[in-house]
Amino acid sequence: MAENDRQLTLVLGVIGADVHAVGNRILEYALTEAGFKVINIGVMASQEEFINAALETDADAILVSSLYGHGEIDCRGLRGKAMEAGIGNIKLYVGGNLVVGKQDWSEVEKKFVNMGFDRAYPPGTMPQEAIDDILRDFGFTQKC
C-alpha cells in the first residue's frame, strides 16, 4: 500500500469521436476490481470533460483510451489544459490505437510522452499491465 493508505481515484474515458464502449467497460471493470475508484466519463469525451471530471473528483490520474486511430490529434494539448486548470501534475495515461496506420510503437510512445503523458500503451495491452504501472507510479505494492 502507499504511505497514506488511500484509494486512488481514476478518471477513465474514450476521447474524441471514438465510440469504443466495450473496451471502456472492460477497463472500468478491471480497474474497479483492482481497488481503484473509477470515474468513467464514457465515450466521445472531450479533453475538457476529462479535466472537469478530474477537478470535480480530485482524481489522481486520467486514463485516456482511443481505438479509432486519432488519439494523437485528440490528445494533443491535454497536459497544457491540465496545467491551466491547476492540476498540471496529474498522472496521464493513454492507450489503444493511437495513430493512423502502422507505425513503430517506440516512436508512437515517444510522441505521447513528449505530449506530457506519463505512460502510453499499444493496442492489445492487457489491463493488468496498466494496473501494475499505476500502482508502481503511486508507490503501492499491492491492490489499493
Side-chain angles (χ1 to χ4, degrees):
M1 299 290 262
E3 302 124 23
N4 56 5
D5 261 359
R6 66 182 183 86
Q7 184 181 37
L8 293 176
T9 300
L10 311 175
V11 171
L12 170 68
V14 181
I15 199 162
D18 198 332
V19 294
H20 188 64
V22 174
N24 186 50
R25 296 293 294 174
I26 290 168
L27 284 170
E28 178 184 19
Y29 177 81
L31 293 164
T32 301
E33 286 297 303
F36 299 109
K37 178 179 179 186
V38 179
I39 310 303
N40 190 345
I41 61 172
V43 300
M44 297 181 67
S46 68
Q47 289 187 8
E48 292 77 16
E49 289 173 296
F50 280 97
I51 298 296
N52 290 338
L55 284 167
E56 290 169 14
T57 62
D58 194 26
D60 299 288
I62 295 174
L63 283 74
V64 178
S65 179
S66 181
L67 189 67
Y68 76 143
H70 296 285
E72 181 179 2
I73 295 164
D74 294 336
C75 292
R76 189 170 286 126
L78 183 60
R79 175 63 71 191
K81 285 186 178 153
M83 292 166 103
E84 288 171 16
I87 56 170
N89 290 332
I90 193 166
K91 294 280 189 199
L92 295 178
Y93 301 85
V94 64
N97 292 321
L98 302 175
V99 294
V100 176
K102 298 265 186 213
Q103 296 183 32
D104 179 74
W105 175 250
S106 64
E107 292 302 313
V108 173
E109 183 178 33
K110 195 180 304 180
K111 282 180 193 180
F112 281 85
V113 168
N114 288 338
M115 283 194 285
F117 284 84
D118 295 281
R119 294 187 185 265
Y121 301 96
T125 301
M126 297 305 292
Q128 190 62 50
E129 184 176 338
I131 290 165
D132 292 344
D133 286 342
I134 294 165
L135 292 172
R136 231 183 335 272
D137 290 350
F138 283 94
F140 286 78
T141 56
Q142 54 187 314
K143 285 187 179 184
C144 55

